[in-house]
Amino acid sequence: MMPDRDTLTRQLKSTTGWEGKNRLLVQMARELPTLPASLRTESHRVQGCESQVWLITHWQDQLLRLQLDSDSRVIKGLLVLVLAAYDGQPRAAVAGIDFNGWLAELGLARFLSSSRANGLAAIVQRIRDEA
Amino acid sequence: MPTQPFDAAMLRADFPLLAAQPDLIYLDNAATTQKPRAVLNAERHYYETTNANVHRSAHRLAHAATEAFEGARSTVARFLNAASSDEIVFTRGSTEAINLVAQSWGRSQLQAGDEIIVSTLEHHANIVPWQLLAYERGLRIVAVPLLANGQLDMDAYAALLGNRTRLVAITALSNAIGTRPDLAAVIAAAATVGARVLVDASQAVAHDVIDVQALGADFLVFSGHKAYGPTGIGALWARTELLNAMPPWQGGGEMIERVSFAGTTFNRPPYRFEAGTPPVAQAIGLAAALDWLIALDRAALAAHEDALRLRLETALLARDDVRLVGTAPNKGPLTSLAFSHAHPFDVAQFLDARGIAVRVGHHCAQPLMDAFNLSSTLRISLSAYNVSSDIDTLLAALDDTLELLA
Ligand SMILES: Cc1ncc(COP(=O)(O)O)c(C=O)c1O
C-alpha cells in the first residue's frame, strides 16, 4: 500500500532539517515500484537535466492512473508525493490540485525553485495537460 | 623564483558573500565564481561617480565614462596579451561571442560543403551556434572523439582535418571533465590545412595565463562571470585582419559610421560589433576582476588549485564506489564523478543539506556525456578561495552520503 496524502504530510512535517527530509524521501522511494525497462522509453521520459523521470498516465473508470519512476531516489521520493496527489483523481479535480502549495507546506519548497532542472515541473505540467 | 605560499584563506576574506556565509563550501566555481570586493566596489564607484552613456555626449561625465569603458577594453587586451585593444569586442559572454563569430565570420566566409571541426568535449555553446549555421548553409559539423581518459584523440583529429576544414572550434579546458587539450598541437595541425581556430577559454580564463599572440589561434572567447567578474559581460578576441573583414551581425547605434535611407556605412571594429549602449558598468567590473587576477601570483594560484584537486582525487581513487570521469593528464581544477550505486543528484542533495554546493547534470555537454555513456555526473570545481578543509569536509560528507545511499 502506498502511503496516503495525510500520512505523508504527517511524516514530512514531523521531520525537520533538509538532511532528515532527504532521508525520508529516499525511504519513501522504496515504496514506489521500479518501472520495467520496457516502459522506460523515450516517449515516457520527461525532460529534466539533472535526473531522468518517466511518467505513464491512463484513465481507468474515469479516474487518472499514474505510473512514475526516476533514476534518482530523492526525485522518486517526490514522485510518491505526485502519486498521492494525483493518482485516482477524477478529470475534473486535477486542475484544482495545488501540488506546489503542498510541497511548500511540507517544507520542500527548495525543490520547486529547481523544478525546471529536476523535471518535477514538467511532470506536473504533463499530468495537468492530460486532464 | 621563490613564491609566497598561496594564502587562500586570506583571499577568501576578500569575497563578501563568502565572508557572510562562513559555513558555505562553494565548489561550483565552473558555473560561476564569487566576486571579490574590488569588483563590487568598481561597479559601485562607477555608478556613484562616473555614470553616463559612452561614445556619445560631449560633456565631462560622458568623457570620463568613455575613458573608463575603453580603459576596461585595454585591461582585457593586456590580460590576454592581445596586440591591440581594437582586437577586443565586448559581448554578453562566451555564448554571445561564439554566436557573433558564427553569424558574422561564418555566414560571410563559409559555404555548402565546408566543414567545422568541434571536439566531443565542447559545451553546447560551442556546438549549437555552428549547427545553426550548418543547417542554414549546408555545412558539415565533424566531432573529434576522445580517448577513454577524456583526452582528445589526436590521431582521429589529424585524420579529420582536410581541405574542406574551415574552422576548428575547441575548448581550452573542459567544463565537464577538466581536460585541457593540447592547444598548441591542435592549432599547428589546423594551420597545415589553412583552417581557422576558435578557442573557448570560458573555463581556462580563471586558471590559466592566456597569451593570444603566443597561442596562434584566430578567435578566443570568455565570460567574465567565470573569472571573478560580473555577469552580462565577456569578450571576443580576434585578429585585426579577421575583424576588419567581418560584416556586422546586429544593427543599431554605436556600430554605424553614417546612416541614411540611401545606405548605411559601418563603424570600424570593435565598435562595428557592439550595437547599442554597451554594458559599461559590467565592463568596468570585469576589468577590476582581471586586475585582481593579474595581481595574484598566477603560478602559485594554479599550484594551489591543482593541489586541492589532487588531494580530492587521491582520496576518491581509494574508493571502489566512486569513479572519476575524465582522468587526462594536466587536467584543470575540477573533478567529475559517477557513483556505482547512487545517483549524482541524490548525492548532491545530501551535500547541499550540509552547505556544500556542487553541480550535477550533463553540464551542457550532452555529446560528452553520451561518449561516456552517462546521463549526468557530479562536478566539484575549484577556485582561488577554496581551502584544503573544504576538500576534507566534502570527503567526510561523501563518506556519510554514500553509506546512507548504499
Ligand atoms: C566551456 C564553456 N563554454 C561556454 C560556456 C558558456 O558561457 P556563458 O553561459 O557565460 O556564455 C560555459 C559556461 O558554462 C563553459 O563552461
Side-chain angles (χ1 to χ4, degrees), chain A residues 18-19 22-23 26 49-52 71-75 110-111 118, chain B residues 341-343 345-346 349-350 352-354 360-362 375-376 404-405:
Chain A
W18 283 14
E19 183 147 348
N22 282 343
R23 277 174 200 258
V26 167
C49 81
E50 294 174 325
S51 63
Q52 308 196 65
D71 55 354
S72 147
R73 279 184 266 170
V74 172
I75 295 294
R110 74 199 161 91
F111 289 108
N118 65 34
Chain B
H341 56 254
H343 194 288
F345 177 81
D346 294 346
Q349 291 310 304
F350 283 94
D352 191 24
R354 296 196 185 181
V360 286
H362 52 57
S375 57
S376 70
L404 195 135
L405 289 170

PDB file of all heavy atoms in Angstrom, chain A residues 18-19 22-23 26 49-52 71-75 110-111 118, chain B residues 341-343 345-346 349-350 352-354 360-362 375-376 404-405:
ATOM      1  N   TRP A  18      16.884  19.711   6.287  1.00  0.00           N
ATOM      2  CA  TRP A  18      16.984  19.202   4.915  1.00  0.00           C
ATOM      3  C   TRP A  18      17.459  17.768   4.877  1.00  0.00           C
ATOM      4  O   TRP A  18      16.988  16.958   4.116  1.00  0.00           O
ATOM      5  CB  TRP A  18      17.968  20.058   4.120  1.00  0.00           C
ATOM      6  CG  TRP A  18      17.417  21.354   3.700  1.00  0.00           C
ATOM      7  CD1 TRP A  18      16.271  21.947   4.154  1.00  0.00           C
ATOM      8  CD2 TRP A  18      17.959  22.218   2.712  1.00  0.00           C
ATOM      9  NE1 TRP A  18      16.088  23.132   3.524  1.00  0.00           N
ATOM     10  CE2 TRP A  18      17.113  23.339   2.630  1.00  0.00           C
ATOM     11  CE3 TRP A  18      19.093  22.168   1.900  1.00  0.00           C
ATOM     12  CZ2 TRP A  18      17.354  24.393   1.762  1.00  0.00           C
ATOM     13  CZ3 TRP A  18      19.337  23.214   1.038  1.00  0.00           C
ATOM     14  CH2 TRP A  18      18.473  24.320   0.971  1.00  0.00           C
ATOM     15  N   GLU A  19      18.466  17.480   5.705  1.00  0.00           N
ATOM     16  CA  GLU A  19      19.045  16.142   5.648  1.00  0.00           C
ATOM     17  C   GLU A  19      17.994  15.102   6.041  1.00  0.00           C
ATOM     18  O   GLU A  19      17.859  14.073   5.386  1.00  0.00           O
ATOM     19  CB  GLU A  19      20.265  16.062   6.570  1.00  0.00           C
ATOM     20  CG  GLU A  19      20.940  14.714   6.501  1.00  0.00           C
ATOM     21  CD  GLU A  19      22.453  14.780   6.688  1.00  0.00           C
ATOM     22  OE1 GLU A  19      23.026  15.880   6.659  1.00  0.00           O
ATOM     23  OE2 GLU A  19      23.042  13.708   6.862  1.00  0.00           O
ATOM     24  N   ASN A  22      15.529  14.737   3.238  1.00  0.00           N
ATOM     25  CA  ASN A  22      16.146  13.960   2.156  1.00  0.00           C
ATOM     26  C   ASN A  22      16.118  12.466   2.475  1.00  0.00           C
ATOM     27  O   ASN A  22      15.784  11.651   1.621  1.00  0.00           O
ATOM     28  CB  ASN A  22      17.614  14.380   1.963  1.00  0.00           C
ATOM     29  CG  ASN A  22      17.748  15.682   1.187  1.00  0.00           C
ATOM     30  OD1 ASN A  22      16.807  16.123   0.528  1.00  0.00           O
ATOM     31  ND2 ASN A  22      18.915  16.302   1.269  1.00  0.00           N
ATOM     32  N   ARG A  23      16.459  12.131   3.725  1.00  0.00           N
ATOM     33  CA  ARG A  23      16.455  10.716   4.138  1.00  0.00           C
ATOM     34  C   ARG A  23      15.073  10.112   3.985  1.00  0.00           C
ATOM     35  O   ARG A  23      14.911   9.001   3.512  1.00  0.00           O
ATOM     36  CB  ARG A  23      16.840  10.589   5.609  1.00  0.00           C
ATOM     37  CG  ARG A  23      18.304  10.600   5.884  1.00  0.00           C
ATOM     38  CD  ARG A  23      18.476  10.616   7.397  1.00  0.00           C
ATOM     39  NE  ARG A  23      19.790  11.081   7.748  1.00  0.00           N
ATOM     40  CZ  ARG A  23      20.781  10.260   8.125  1.00  0.00           C
ATOM     41  NH1 ARG A  23      20.571   8.975   8.219  1.00  0.00           N
ATOM     42  NH2 ARG A  23      21.957  10.753   8.415  1.00  0.00           N
ATOM     43  N   VAL A  26      14.185   9.443   0.417  1.00  0.00           N
ATOM     44  CA  VAL A  26      14.871   8.241  -0.070  1.00  0.00           C
ATOM     45  C   VAL A  26      14.158   6.979   0.435  1.00  0.00           C
ATOM     46  O   VAL A  26      13.985   6.008  -0.298  1.00  0.00           O
ATOM     47  CB  VAL A  26      16.356   8.265   0.355  1.00  0.00           C
ATOM     48  CG1 VAL A  26      17.014   6.912   0.159  1.00  0.00           C
ATOM     49  CG2 VAL A  26      17.106   9.337  -0.440  1.00  0.00           C
ATOM     50  N   CYS A  49      17.161  18.101 -16.430  1.00  0.00           N
ATOM     51  CA  CYS A  49      18.549  17.897 -16.865  1.00  0.00           C
ATOM     52  C   CYS A  49      19.394  17.229 -15.801  1.00  0.00           C
ATOM     53  O   CYS A  49      20.503  16.819 -16.058  1.00  0.00           O
ATOM     54  CB  CYS A  49      19.172  19.172 -17.416  1.00  0.00           C
ATOM     55  SG  CYS A  49      19.764  20.289 -16.183  1.00  0.00           S
ATOM     56  N   GLU A  50      18.878  17.091 -14.593  1.00  0.00           N
ATOM     57  CA  GLU A  50      19.709  16.515 -13.532  1.00  0.00           C
ATOM     58  C   GLU A  50      19.435  15.034 -13.297  1.00  0.00           C
ATOM     59  O   GLU A  50      20.280  14.325 -12.777  1.00  0.00           O
ATOM     60  CB  GLU A  50      19.494  17.292 -12.238  1.00  0.00           C
ATOM     61  CG  GLU A  50      20.006  18.722 -12.356  1.00  0.00           C
ATOM     62  CD  GLU A  50      19.691  19.557 -11.149  1.00  0.00           C
ATOM     63  OE1 GLU A  50      18.618  19.372 -10.547  1.00  0.00           O
ATOM     64  OE2 GLU A  50      20.509  20.407 -10.801  1.00  0.00           O
ATOM     65  N   SER A  51      18.223  14.602 -13.611  1.00  0.00           N
ATOM     66  CA  SER A  51      17.903  13.188 -13.427  1.00  0.00           C
ATOM     67  C   SER A  51      16.863  12.816 -14.474  1.00  0.00           C
ATOM     68  O   SER A  51      16.288  13.682 -15.119  1.00  0.00           O
ATOM     69  CB  SER A  51      17.352  12.946 -12.032  1.00  0.00           C
ATOM     70  OG  SER A  51      16.140  13.661 -11.876  1.00  0.00           O
ATOM     71  N   GLN A  52      16.637  11.516 -14.629  1.00  0.00           N
ATOM     72  CA  GLN A  52      15.637  11.077 -15.600  1.00  0.00           C
ATOM     73  C   GLN A  52      14.365  10.707 -14.864  1.00  0.00           C
ATOM     74  O   GLN A  52      14.407  10.110 -13.800  1.00  0.00           O
ATOM     75  CB  GLN A  52      16.141   9.865 -16.355  1.00  0.00           C
ATOM     76  CG  GLN A  52      17.517  10.095 -16.945  1.00  0.00           C
ATOM     77  CD  GLN A  52      17.825   9.052 -17.994  1.00  0.00           C
ATOM     78  OE1 GLN A  52      17.182   8.991 -19.038  1.00  0.00           O
ATOM     79  NE2 GLN A  52      18.793   8.216 -17.697  1.00  0.00           N
ATOM     80  N   ASP A  71      15.469   7.700 -11.961  1.00  0.00           N
ATOM     81  CA  ASP A  71      16.739   7.061 -11.598  1.00  0.00           C
ATOM     82  C   ASP A  71      17.334   7.689 -10.330  1.00  0.00           C
ATOM     83  O   ASP A  71      18.260   7.161  -9.753  1.00  0.00           O
ATOM     84  CB  ASP A  71      17.742   7.079 -12.769  1.00  0.00           C
ATOM     85  CG  ASP A  71      18.004   8.470 -13.308  1.00  0.00           C
ATOM     86  OD1 ASP A  71      17.343   9.440 -12.865  1.00  0.00           O
ATOM     87  OD2 ASP A  71      18.868   8.609 -14.186  1.00  0.00           O
ATOM     88  N   SER A  72      16.759   8.803  -9.886  1.00  0.00           N
ATOM     89  CA  SER A  72      17.199   9.411  -8.622  1.00  0.00           C
ATOM     90  C   SER A  72      16.239   9.028  -7.510  1.00  0.00           C
ATOM     91  O   SER A  72      15.020   9.086  -7.677  1.00  0.00           O
ATOM     92  CB  SER A  72      17.234  10.939  -8.760  1.00  0.00           C
ATOM     93  OG  SER A  72      16.893  11.563  -7.534  1.00  0.00           O
ATOM     94  N   ARG A  73      16.782   8.674  -6.368  1.00  0.00           N
ATOM     95  CA  ARG A  73      15.909   8.252  -5.269  1.00  0.00           C
ATOM     96  C   ARG A  73      15.226   9.426  -4.589  1.00  0.00           C
ATOM     97  O   ARG A  73      14.097   9.298  -4.116  1.00  0.00           O
ATOM     98  CB  ARG A  73      16.696   7.408  -4.274  1.00  0.00           C
ATOM     99  CG  ARG A  73      16.797   5.975  -4.784  1.00  0.00           C
ATOM    100  CD  ARG A  73      17.485   5.096  -3.779  1.00  0.00           C
ATOM    101  NE  ARG A  73      18.902   5.007  -4.081  1.00  0.00           N
ATOM    102  CZ  ARG A  73      19.788   4.458  -3.257  1.00  0.00           C
ATOM    103  NH1 ARG A  73      19.406   3.999  -2.080  1.00  0.00           N
ATOM    104  NH2 ARG A  73      21.056   4.389  -3.605  1.00  0.00           N
ATOM    105  N   VAL A  74      15.914  10.557  -4.530  1.00  0.00           N
ATOM    106  CA  VAL A  74      15.266  11.736  -3.941  1.00  0.00           C
ATOM    107  C   VAL A  74      14.078  12.158  -4.810  1.00  0.00           C
ATOM    108  O   VAL A  74      12.975  12.410  -4.300  1.00  0.00           O
ATOM    109  CB  VAL A  74      16.272  12.898  -3.778  1.00  0.00           C
ATOM    110  CG1 VAL A  74      15.565  14.170  -3.347  1.00  0.00           C
ATOM    111  CG2 VAL A  74      17.347  12.525  -2.759  1.00  0.00           C
ATOM    112  N   ILE A  75      14.300  12.193  -6.116  1.00  0.00           N
ATOM    113  CA  ILE A  75      13.203  12.554  -7.027  1.00  0.00           C
ATOM    114  C   ILE A  75      12.098  11.499  -6.953  1.00  0.00           C
ATOM    115  O   ILE A  75      10.914  11.821  -6.936  1.00  0.00           O
ATOM    116  CB  ILE A  75      13.719  12.685  -8.487  1.00  0.00           C
ATOM    117  CG1 ILE A  75      14.699  13.858  -8.588  1.00  0.00           C
ATOM    118  CG2 ILE A  75      12.568  12.871  -9.450  1.00  0.00           C
ATOM    119  CD1 ILE A  75      14.098  15.215  -8.354  1.00  0.00           C
ATOM    120  N   ARG A 110      12.306  24.115  -1.723  1.00  0.00           N
ATOM    121  CA  ARG A 110      13.548  24.266  -2.489  1.00  0.00           C
ATOM    122  C   ARG A 110      13.544  23.399  -3.743  1.00  0.00           C
ATOM    123  O   ARG A 110      14.244  23.688  -4.700  1.00  0.00           O
ATOM    124  CB  ARG A 110      14.762  23.960  -1.624  1.00  0.00           C
ATOM    125  CG  ARG A 110      14.962  22.519  -1.324  1.00  0.00           C
ATOM    126  CD  ARG A 110      15.862  22.349  -0.126  1.00  0.00           C
ATOM    127  NE  ARG A 110      15.703  21.043   0.430  1.00  0.00           N
ATOM    128  CZ  ARG A 110      16.437  20.001   0.066  1.00  0.00           C
ATOM    129  NH1 ARG A 110      17.367  20.134  -0.844  1.00  0.00           N
ATOM    130  NH2 ARG A 110      16.242  18.835   0.613  1.00  0.00           N
ATOM    131  N   PHE A 111      12.754  22.324  -3.738  1.00  0.00           N
ATOM    132  CA  PHE A 111      12.672  21.515  -4.953  1.00  0.00           C
ATOM    133  C   PHE A 111      11.846  22.219  -6.026  1.00  0.00           C
ATOM    134  O   PHE A 111      11.916  21.879  -7.198  1.00  0.00           O
ATOM    135  CB  PHE A 111      12.068  20.147  -4.658  1.00  0.00           C
ATOM    136  CG  PHE A 111      12.991  19.268  -3.878  1.00  0.00           C
ATOM    137  CD1 PHE A 111      12.739  18.974  -2.544  1.00  0.00           C
ATOM    138  CD2 PHE A 111      14.132  18.756  -4.475  1.00  0.00           C
ATOM    139  CE1 PHE A 111      13.606  18.175  -1.827  1.00  0.00           C
ATOM    140  CE2 PHE A 111      15.003  17.952  -3.754  1.00  0.00           C
ATOM    141  CZ  PHE A 111      14.738  17.661  -2.428  1.00  0.00           C
ATOM    142  N   ASN A 118      14.979  19.730 -12.230  1.00  0.00           N
ATOM    143  CA  ASN A 118      14.830  18.352 -11.754  1.00  0.00           C
ATOM    144  C   ASN A 118      13.652  17.611 -12.385  1.00  0.00           C
ATOM    145  O   ASN A 118      13.417  16.452 -12.083  1.00  0.00           O
ATOM    146  CB  ASN A 118      14.781  18.294 -10.223  1.00  0.00           C
ATOM    147  CG  ASN A 118      13.568  18.989  -9.632  1.00  0.00           C
ATOM    148  OD1 ASN A 118      12.491  18.973 -10.221  1.00  0.00           O
ATOM    149  ND2 ASN A 118      13.744  19.612  -8.484  1.00  0.00           N
TER     150      ASN A 118
ATOM    151  N   HIS B 341      26.461   3.099  -7.007  1.00  0.00           N
ATOM    152  CA  HIS B 341      25.103   2.764  -6.578  1.00  0.00           C
ATOM    153  C   HIS B 341      24.302   3.984  -6.117  1.00  0.00           C
ATOM    154  O   HIS B 341      23.324   3.851  -5.404  1.00  0.00           O
ATOM    155  CB  HIS B 341      25.153   1.712  -5.471  1.00  0.00           C
ATOM    156  CG  HIS B 341      25.990   2.157  -4.304  1.00  0.00           C
ATOM    157  ND1 HIS B 341      27.239   1.650  -4.065  1.00  0.00           N
ATOM    158  CD2 HIS B 341      25.778   3.085  -3.362  1.00  0.00           C
ATOM    159  CE1 HIS B 341      27.752   2.248  -3.009  1.00  0.00           C
ATOM    160  NE2 HIS B 341      26.885   3.130  -2.570  1.00  0.00           N
ATOM    161  N   ALA B 342      24.739   5.155  -6.490  1.00  0.00           N
ATOM    162  CA  ALA B 342      23.986   6.348  -6.101  1.00  0.00           C
ATOM    163  C   ALA B 342      23.883   7.277  -7.300  1.00  0.00           C
ATOM    164  O   ALA B 342      24.777   7.324  -8.142  1.00  0.00           O
ATOM    165  CB  ALA B 342      24.678   7.064  -4.949  1.00  0.00           C
ATOM    166  N   HIS B 343      22.783   7.992  -7.362  1.00  0.00           N
ATOM    167  CA  HIS B 343      22.603   8.962  -8.439  1.00  0.00           C
ATOM    168  C   HIS B 343      23.290  10.266  -8.024  1.00  0.00           C
ATOM    169  O   HIS B 343      23.146  10.706  -6.883  1.00  0.00           O
ATOM    170  CB  HIS B 343      21.110   9.197  -8.663  1.00  0.00           C
ATOM    171  CG  HIS B 343      20.810   9.906  -9.946  1.00  0.00           C
ATOM    172  ND1 HIS B 343      21.092  11.233 -10.145  1.00  0.00           N
ATOM    173  CD2 HIS B 343      20.286   9.458 -11.105  1.00  0.00           C
ATOM    174  CE1 HIS B 343      20.735  11.581 -11.385  1.00  0.00           C
ATOM    175  NE2 HIS B 343      20.238  10.516 -11.985  1.00  0.00           N
ATOM    176  N   PHE B 345      22.533  13.240  -8.502  1.00  0.00           N
ATOM    177  CA  PHE B 345      21.580  14.221  -7.977  1.00  0.00           C
ATOM    178  C   PHE B 345      21.303  13.978  -6.492  1.00  0.00           C
ATOM    179  O   PHE B 345      21.237  14.918  -5.691  1.00  0.00           O
ATOM    180  CB  PHE B 345      20.260  14.143  -8.775  1.00  0.00           C
ATOM    181  CG  PHE B 345      19.202  15.066  -8.273  1.00  0.00           C
ATOM    182  CD1 PHE B 345      19.202  16.411  -8.622  1.00  0.00           C
ATOM    183  CD2 PHE B 345      18.187  14.609  -7.425  1.00  0.00           C
ATOM    184  CE1 PHE B 345      18.227  17.278  -8.152  1.00  0.00           C
ATOM    185  CE2 PHE B 345      17.208  15.468  -6.955  1.00  0.00           C
ATOM    186  CZ  PHE B 345      17.221  16.810  -7.322  1.00  0.00           C
ATOM    187  N   ASP B 346      21.157  12.697  -6.125  1.00  0.00           N
ATOM    188  CA  ASP B 346      20.871  12.369  -4.724  1.00  0.00           C
ATOM    189  C   ASP B 346      22.059  12.733  -3.838  1.00  0.00           C
ATOM    190  O   ASP B 346      21.888  13.292  -2.749  1.00  0.00           O
ATOM    191  CB  ASP B 346      20.546  10.877  -4.584  1.00  0.00           C
ATOM    192  CG  ASP B 346      19.254  10.520  -5.306  1.00  0.00           C
ATOM    193  OD1 ASP B 346      18.500  11.444  -5.657  1.00  0.00           O
ATOM    194  OD2 ASP B 346      19.028   9.320  -5.536  1.00  0.00           O
ATOM    195  N   GLN B 349      22.082  16.365  -3.256  1.00  0.00           N
ATOM    196  CA  GLN B 349      21.052  16.825  -2.315  1.00  0.00           C
ATOM    197  C   GLN B 349      21.552  16.725  -0.880  1.00  0.00           C
ATOM    198  O   GLN B 349      21.317  17.613  -0.067  1.00  0.00           O
ATOM    199  CB  GLN B 349      19.769  15.992  -2.459  1.00  0.00           C
ATOM    200  CG  GLN B 349      19.021  16.220  -3.757  1.00  0.00           C
ATOM    201  CD  GLN B 349      18.798  17.681  -4.041  1.00  0.00           C
ATOM    202  OE1 GLN B 349      18.233  18.389  -3.217  1.00  0.00           O
ATOM    203  NE2 GLN B 349      19.256  18.139  -5.177  1.00  0.00           N
ATOM    204  N   PHE B 350      22.232  15.625  -0.574  1.00  0.00           N
ATOM    205  CA  PHE B 350      22.737  15.447   0.794  1.00  0.00           C
ATOM    206  C   PHE B 350      23.915  16.380   1.072  1.00  0.00           C
ATOM    207  O   PHE B 350      24.061  16.885   2.182  1.00  0.00           O
ATOM    208  CB  PHE B 350      23.096  13.973   1.047  1.00  0.00           C
ATOM    209  CG  PHE B 350      21.879  13.125   1.289  1.00  0.00           C
ATOM    210  CD1 PHE B 350      21.270  12.437   0.259  1.00  0.00           C
ATOM    211  CD2 PHE B 350      21.314  13.043   2.561  1.00  0.00           C
ATOM    212  CE1 PHE B 350      20.125  11.678   0.473  1.00  0.00           C
ATOM    213  CE2 PHE B 350      20.172  12.286   2.799  1.00  0.00           C
ATOM    214  CZ  PHE B 350      19.577  11.598   1.748  1.00  0.00           C
ATOM    215  N   ASP B 352      24.239  19.317  -0.284  1.00  0.00           N
ATOM    216  CA  ASP B 352      23.610  20.638  -0.158  1.00  0.00           C
ATOM    217  C   ASP B 352      23.056  20.836   1.253  1.00  0.00           C
ATOM    218  O   ASP B 352      23.160  21.925   1.836  1.00  0.00           O
ATOM    219  CB  ASP B 352      22.491  20.758  -1.200  1.00  0.00           C
ATOM    220  CG  ASP B 352      21.959  22.178  -1.331  1.00  0.00           C
ATOM    221  OD1 ASP B 352      22.702  23.127  -1.005  1.00  0.00           O
ATOM    222  OD2 ASP B 352      20.806  22.344  -1.757  1.00  0.00           O
ATOM    223  N   ALA B 353      22.497  19.769   1.793  1.00  0.00           N
ATOM    224  CA  ALA B 353      21.942  19.871   3.151  1.00  0.00           C
ATOM    225  C   ALA B 353      23.039  20.216   4.160  1.00  0.00           C
ATOM    226  O   ALA B 353      22.758  20.734   5.237  1.00  0.00           O
ATOM    227  CB  ALA B 353      21.259  18.559   3.531  1.00  0.00           C
ATOM    228  N   ARG B 354      24.287  19.943   3.794  1.00  0.00           N
ATOM    229  CA  ARG B 354      25.412  20.300   4.680  1.00  0.00           C
ATOM    230  C   ARG B 354      26.154  21.548   4.208  1.00  0.00           C
ATOM    231  O   ARG B 354      27.304  21.788   4.600  1.00  0.00           O
ATOM    232  CB  ARG B 354      26.390  19.130   4.759  1.00  0.00           C
ATOM    233  CG  ARG B 354      25.750  17.921   5.400  1.00  0.00           C
ATOM    234  CD  ARG B 354      26.802  16.947   5.817  1.00  0.00           C
ATOM    235  NE  ARG B 354      26.196  15.729   6.333  1.00  0.00           N
ATOM    236  CZ  ARG B 354      26.893  14.714   6.786  1.00  0.00           C
ATOM    237  NH1 ARG B 354      28.207  14.765   6.791  1.00  0.00           N
ATOM    238  NH2 ARG B 354      26.287  13.644   7.237  1.00  0.00           N
ATOM    239  N   VAL B 360      25.317  19.029 -10.447  1.00  0.00           N
ATOM    240  CA  VAL B 360      25.054  17.740 -11.094  1.00  0.00           C
ATOM    241  C   VAL B 360      24.348  17.977 -12.413  1.00  0.00           C
ATOM    242  O   VAL B 360      23.672  18.981 -12.596  1.00  0.00           O
ATOM    243  CB  VAL B 360      24.152  16.796 -10.266  1.00  0.00           C
ATOM    244  CG1 VAL B 360      24.895  16.215  -9.124  1.00  0.00           C
ATOM    245  CG2 VAL B 360      22.878  17.473  -9.824  1.00  0.00           C
ATOM    246  N   GLY B 361      24.485  17.029 -13.316  1.00  0.00           N
ATOM    247  CA  GLY B 361      23.787  17.127 -14.589  1.00  0.00           C
ATOM    248  C   GLY B 361      24.712  16.798 -15.729  1.00  0.00           C
ATOM    249  O   GLY B 361      25.759  16.165 -15.539  1.00  0.00           O
ATOM    250  N   HIS B 362      24.304  17.231 -16.908  1.00  0.00           N
ATOM    251  CA  HIS B 362      25.131  16.947 -18.091  1.00  0.00           C
ATOM    252  C   HIS B 362      26.091  18.093 -18.384  1.00  0.00           C
ATOM    253  O   HIS B 362      26.867  18.036 -19.333  1.00  0.00           O
ATOM    254  CB  HIS B 362      24.266  16.612 -19.310  1.00  0.00           C
ATOM    255  CG  HIS B 362      23.189  17.616 -19.605  1.00  0.00           C
ATOM    256  ND1 HIS B 362      23.451  18.939 -19.833  1.00  0.00           N
ATOM    257  CD2 HIS B 362      21.851  17.471 -19.693  1.00  0.00           C
ATOM    258  CE1 HIS B 362      22.317  19.567 -20.075  1.00  0.00           C
ATOM    259  NE2 HIS B 362      21.323  18.717 -19.982  1.00  0.00           N
ATOM    260  N   SER B 375      24.331   9.855 -18.079  1.00  0.00           N
ATOM    261  CA  SER B 375      23.396  10.954 -18.306  1.00  0.00           C
ATOM    262  C   SER B 375      23.759  12.146 -17.429  1.00  0.00           C
ATOM    263  O   SER B 375      23.372  13.269 -17.719  1.00  0.00           O
ATOM    264  CB  SER B 375      21.957  10.512 -18.071  1.00  0.00           C
ATOM    265  OG  SER B 375      21.825  10.002 -16.775  1.00  0.00           O
ATOM    266  N   SER B 376      24.502  11.888 -16.359  1.00  0.00           N
ATOM    267  CA  SER B 376      24.946  13.026 -15.558  1.00  0.00           C
ATOM    268  C   SER B 376      26.130  12.639 -14.692  1.00  0.00           C
ATOM    269  O   SER B 376      26.385  11.457 -14.452  1.00  0.00           O
ATOM    270  CB  SER B 376      23.805  13.557 -14.679  1.00  0.00           C
ATOM    271  OG  SER B 376      23.517  12.645 -13.656  1.00  0.00           O
ATOM    272  N   LEU B 404      24.754   6.168   3.411  1.00  0.00           N
ATOM    273  CA  LEU B 404      23.307   6.311   3.535  1.00  0.00           C
ATOM    274  C   LEU B 404      22.574   5.839   2.285  1.00  0.00           C
ATOM    275  O   LEU B 404      21.470   5.299   2.349  1.00  0.00           O
ATOM    276  CB  LEU B 404      23.042   7.792   3.776  1.00  0.00           C
ATOM    277  CG  LEU B 404      21.706   8.233   4.284  1.00  0.00           C
ATOM    278  CD1 LEU B 404      21.953   9.249   5.381  1.00  0.00           C
ATOM    279  CD2 LEU B 404      20.887   8.854   3.190  1.00  0.00           C
ATOM    280  N   LEU B 405      23.177   6.067   1.132  1.00  0.00           N
ATOM    281  CA  LEU B 405      22.523   5.712  -0.129  1.00  0.00           C
ATOM    282  C   LEU B 405      22.904   4.302  -0.595  1.00  0.00           C
ATOM    283  O   LEU B 405      22.520   3.880  -1.677  1.00  0.00           O
ATOM    284  CB  LEU B 405      22.878   6.730  -1.222  1.00  0.00           C
ATOM    285  CG  LEU B 405      22.255   8.132  -1.073  1.00  0.00           C
ATOM    286  CD1 LEU B 405      22.864   9.097  -2.071  1.00  0.00           C
ATOM    287  CD2 LEU B 405      20.749   8.078  -1.241  1.00  0.00           C
TER     288      LEU B 405
END
